Amino acid sequence: MAVFSSQGQAFNQPRQAYLATALAVADTHWTRLRGLLGLRSSDFRNGSGLWIVPCHGVHTLGMGFPIDVVYLDRVMTVIHIQHDLQPWRFAPVRTQAASVLELPCRTVAETKTAVGDRIEIRIDELKTEKDGRVPPS
C-alpha cells in the first residue's frame, strides 16, 4: 500500500480464512483522517486491509473504488458488515463498534465472513490490552 506499511494480519477464526495478510493500522488522528484517500484500487488489492481504531463508521468520500467494511466490537467480534461500499458514500455509524476493517471489495463474500465471527488481529508492537481486546477510546 502506498500510504501505510503492512503491520500485520486479520484472520477470521471460525472460517479459518485471512481477511488481510498485509494489514495497515490507522490509530492516530492523522492516519484515521487519511484512511485510504489517495490510493488506487491497484494499491489496495486482495490481501490488503486497513484497521481503523478507534472507529464507529467510515466514508468513501474522495475514493475511486468500492470497499468492504467490517465493524468489530471490543472483543473483535463482527457486529456489522457493509458490502461493496461505493465511492462517495457514508457507511452507517455503529456506536457499539470499537474498530473497523476496510477491505478490498468482495473480500467478505470470498471469506464467508458473517456477523458473529471472531477476528484475530495480529499486529507487531500495537498497544493492546493483555487479552487482545481493543483499548477503550
Side-chain angles (χ1 to χ4, degrees):
M1 291 170 48
V3 178
F4 299 101
S5 61
S6 173
Q7 297 170 301
Q9 302 168 333
F11 184 72
N12 185 325
Q13 292 174 333
R15 312 285 172 194
Q16 292 293 293
Y18 282 96
L19 299 175
T21 53
L23 185 68
V25 179
D27 61 351
T28 68
H29 174 74
W30 172 247
T31 58
R32 287 193 313 268
L33 181 65
R34 176 83 190 257
L36 298 174
L37 289 175
L39 293 184
R40 299 178 307 250
S41 60
S42 61
D43 296 326
F44 196 66
R45 57 193 178 282
N46 286 345
S48 298
L50 178 64
W51 186 36
I52 306 172
V53 57
C55 185
H56 304 290
V58 299
H59 66 81
T60 56
L61 301 179
M63 288 179 54
F65 55 92
I67 59 172
D68 284 347
V69 182
V70 177
Y71 295 73
L72 304 170
D73 66 12
R74 286 194 69 229
V75 294
M76 306 305 287
T77 300
V78 176
I79 59 169
H80 181 75
I81 297 171
Q82 189 73 37
H83 296 270
D84 194 28
L85 183 62
Q86 294 295 310
W88 297 96
R89 302 288 192 275
F90 288 91
V93 171
R94 300 288 182 214
T95 56
Q96 59 279 54
S99 63
V100 168
L101 276 173
E102 292 184 342
L103 302 164
C105 193
R106 292 182 294 283
T107 300
V108 169
E110 290 169 1
T111 59
K112 298 179 174 45
T113 297
V115 171
D117 287 356
R118 183 145 172 143
I119 308 301
E120 181 181 344
I121 304 287
R122 301 173 184 156
I123 299 293
D124 301 327
E125 301 181 33
L126 179 68
K127 296 175 216 140
T128 58
E129 293 181 357
K130 242 191 213 178
D131 60 4
R133 296 184 305 158
V134 178
S137 51

